[in-house]
């Protein structure tokens, strides 16, 4: 279902539309075109890649990652403005989140690996958004396809673009040919010197001492720089290919309306009665479950611990199961709405079932949150409890969006899920949670 669009001409960038896309099985036919500005930024991308590798291979990782984040944003914005483009308005939202997560890295990080992954996700998605390269030009129901473009398709399908630009420039420039010949000569001399130098060292003690001192310096200083330079190349290729592919819509996967329509038709194999029966039975059993639990199920709302339970036992009793059920209900709703012969907008009973299941799921989420808060008030805050609470809040936003969509079919649940997910994920890193946890646990609870 993947389709590609391949162009690098400034004059045609703004006129590209989804209808112009061709099948993924057809190779891109547009010539490889670039401009002088792209050559400059291809070199800057190498320095940016070197700094990224240097960040991971030296001290003060957090501070250097902040510098890299700011430098990357300046790199992309400079390329856009100097090439006569303006970032899409929506992209400023993601840029603010990117700066917030990047700058906070220098001061604190509750989950360092997750913090880094958040920066990566925001930077890649922001690049597409700023370049106007999202499937629909803005965050839409095609967010998964946009994510695939940002993290896989554009970086790897355009991986050789930077190298091709360098190769073409070297062929054009006579002085570049001389530099290339000089580098070739240096490369050939390495194995020759590897034979000659040991023989000379064995012939003279002073020369041998000189070679040993030089070797020690190379082993302790020069080798690490060579390592960084070598690894900077693939990193800079990924950085350049993402931005280059986004700006020129090169090898970008787009939704084909005809294929999407055919796929949706092929997926709608369940009758509306069957789908409503499935959702209705699930809702009935949820109602029975809630009714049987009675006061025990809702006692956490009032901060009451049932007899025979410790706070830890009661809070953990069914908490993770409620989280799993909430996530499963989301998948169930997606499956039923995609597989029903009639879309929910055209079938009143299906909309009612969607609404009922969403409300019940919100009730389960609220119950799980009440148990978590009861557990926190009893034993204090921890990083894992903050992470679990954040996930439940995000699910709550999604199911609230599902309820709104039953009344307003044009409402995009995917759009609100991406926005809210970005904010909630960023706040995990922006807020000084380690200090908050320490303050709350020592001041409020103990």
């Amino acid at each position: 279902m993947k389709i590609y669009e391949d162009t690098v001409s400034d004059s045609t960038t703004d006129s590209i539309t989804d209808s112009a896309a061709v099948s993924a099985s057809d190779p891109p036919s547009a010539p490889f075109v670039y401009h002088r500005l792209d050559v400059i930024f291809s070199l800057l991308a190498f320095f940016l890649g070197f700094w990224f590798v240097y960040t991971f291979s030296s001290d003060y990782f957090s501070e250097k990652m902040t510098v890299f984040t700011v430098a990357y944003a300046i790199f992309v914005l400079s390329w856009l403005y100097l090439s006569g483009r303006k970032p899409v308005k929506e992209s400023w939202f993601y840029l603010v989140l990117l700066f917030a997560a990047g700058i906070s890295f220098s001061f604190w990080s509750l989950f360092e690996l997750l913090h880094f992954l958040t920066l990566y996700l925001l930077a890649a998605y922001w690049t597409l958004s700023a370049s106007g390269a999202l499937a629909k030009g803005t965050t839409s129901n095609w967010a998964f396809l946009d994510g695939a473009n940002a993290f896989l398709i554009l970086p790897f399908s355009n991986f050789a673009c930077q190298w091709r630009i360098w190769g073409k420039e070297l062929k054009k420039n006579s002085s570049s040919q001389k530099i290339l010949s000089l580098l070739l000569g240096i490369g050939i001399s390495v194995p020759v010197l590897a034979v000659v130098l040991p023989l000379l060292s064995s012939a003279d003690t002073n020369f041998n001492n000189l070679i040993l001192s030089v070797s020690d310096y190379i082993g302790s200083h020069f080798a690490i720089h060579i390592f960084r330079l070598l690894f900077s190349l693939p990193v800079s290729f990924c950085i350049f290919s993402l931005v280059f592919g986004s700006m020129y819509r090169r090898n970008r996967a787009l939704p084909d309306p005809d294929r999407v329509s055919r796929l949706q038709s092929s997926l709608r194999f369940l009758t509306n009665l069957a789908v409503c029966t499935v959702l209705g039975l699930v809702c009935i059993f949820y109602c029975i479950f809630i009714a049987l639990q009675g006061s025990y199920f809702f006692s956490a709302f009032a901060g009451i611990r049932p007899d025979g339970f410790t706070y830890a036992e009661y809070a953990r009793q069914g908490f993770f199961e409620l989280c799993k059920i909430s996530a499963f209900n989301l998948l169930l709703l997606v499956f039923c709405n995609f597989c029903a012969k009639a879309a929910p907008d055209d079938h009143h009973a299906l909309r009612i079932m969607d609404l009922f299941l969403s409300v019940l799921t919100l009730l389960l989420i609220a119950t799980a949150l009440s148990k978590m808060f009861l557990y926190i008030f009893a034993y204090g805050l921890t990083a894992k409890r903050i992470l679990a609470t954040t996930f439940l809040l995000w699910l709550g936003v999604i199911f609230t969006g599902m309820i709104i969509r039953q009344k307003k079919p044009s409402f995009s649940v995917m759009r609100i899920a991406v926005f809210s997910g970005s904010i909630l994920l960023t706040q995990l890193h922006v807020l000084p949670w380690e200090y908050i946890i320490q303050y709350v646990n020592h001041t409020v609870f103990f």
Side-chain angles (χ1 to χ4, degrees), residues 18 88-91 128-140 146 249 252 254 415:
D18 291 356
V88 175
K89 290 182 179 179
E90 182 186 280
S91 68
L128 261 70
S129 179
S131 305
L134 297 178
K136 295 299 181 183
T138 184
T139 303
S140 65
D146 292 328
R249 318 302 203 263
R252 179 180 61 147
L254 290 173
R415 184 177 171 85

Side-chain angles (χ1 to χ4, degrees), residues 208-413:
N208 182 53
N209 293 333
L210 176 64
I211 293 299
L212 288 176
S213 62
V214 172
S215 299
D216 290 340
Y217 176 81
I218 291 175
S220 60
H221 297 86
F222 188 69
I224 186 64
H225 293 300
I226 293 297
F227 167 83
R228 288 167 177 165
L229 287 171
L230 289 176
F231 277 87
S232 297
L233 285 173
V235 174
S236 68
F237 289 168
C238 288
I239 293 173
F240 182 83
S241 59
L242 172 62
V243 185
F244 186 77
S246 299
M247 289 182 60
Y248 294 117
R249 318 302 203 263
R250 183 177 177 82
N251 295 336
R252 179 180 61 147
L254 290 173
D256 184 338
D258 294 332
R259 291 190 175 190
V260 170
S261 179
R262 289 196 297 271
L263 178 62
Q264 287 179 333
S265 299
S266 65
L267 288 175
R268 296 191 181 282
F269 62 92
L270 291 177
T271 63
N272 297 319
L273 179 59
V275 172
C276 289
T277 301
V278 171
L279 294 178
L281 286 173
V282 171
C283 291
I284 289 172
F285 278 103
Y286 282 155
C287 291
I288 294 174
F289 171 78
I290 293 172
L292 290 176
Q293 296 291 316
S295 60
Y296 161 80
F297 190 74
F298 296 108
S299 61
F301 286 108
I304 301 173
R305 172 172 53 90
D307 295 335
F309 286 92
T310 65
Y311 279 108
E313 290 172 343
Y314 175 62
R316 295 177 64 87
Q317 179 73 28
F319 172 80
F320 295 106
E321 287 72 15
L322 290 174
C323 295
K324 292 175 184 178
I325 288 173
S326 300
F328 175 78
N329 287 349
L330 180 61
L331 296 177
L332 178 63
L333 282 174
V334 172
F335 171 80
C336 289
N337 282 275
F338 268 98
C339 295
K341 285 189 175 296
D345 300 344
D346 303 324
H347 197 274
H348 182 70
L350 184 54
R351 289 209 311 274
I352 295 297
M353 289 294 100
D354 286 350
L355 178 63
F356 195 33
L357 182 58
S358 297
V359 171
L360 287 174
T361 306
L362 275 179
L363 181 60
L364 295 175
I365 291 172
T367 304
L369 282 173
S370 67
K371 288 191 170 191
M372 176 56 71
F373 291 147
L374 185 64
Y375 196 32
I376 290 172
F377 281 119
Y379 296 102
L381 276 174
T382 64
K384 290 183 179 180
R385 292 165 197 168
I386 292 171
L387 189 61
T389 302
T390 301
F391 176 68
L392 284 173
L393 289 174
W394 184 56
L395 284 179
V397 171
I398 292 176
F399 279 100
T400 302
M402 296 288 287
I403 294 173
I404 296 174
R405 192 182 183 282
Q406 307 313 315
K407 296 294 183 180
K408 188 179 179 182
S410 61
F411 182 81
S412 175
V413 179

Side-chain angles (χ1 to χ4, degrees), residues 72 98 118-128 242:
Y72 177 79
L98 177 63
T118 300
L119 286 177
Y120 171 67
L121 295 173
L122 287 173
Y125 195 82
W126 166 72
T127 302
L128 261 70
L242 172 62

Side-chain angles (χ1 to χ4, degrees), residues 15-44:
S15 62
I16 298 171
T17 59
D18 291 356
S19 60
V22 297
S23 171
S25 59
D26 299 328
S29 57
F32 183 77
V33 182
Y34 63 92
H35 304 284
R36 179 60 56 185
L37 185 65
D38 302 329
V39 179
I40 297 173
F41 278 92
S42 70
L43 297 174
L44 293 176

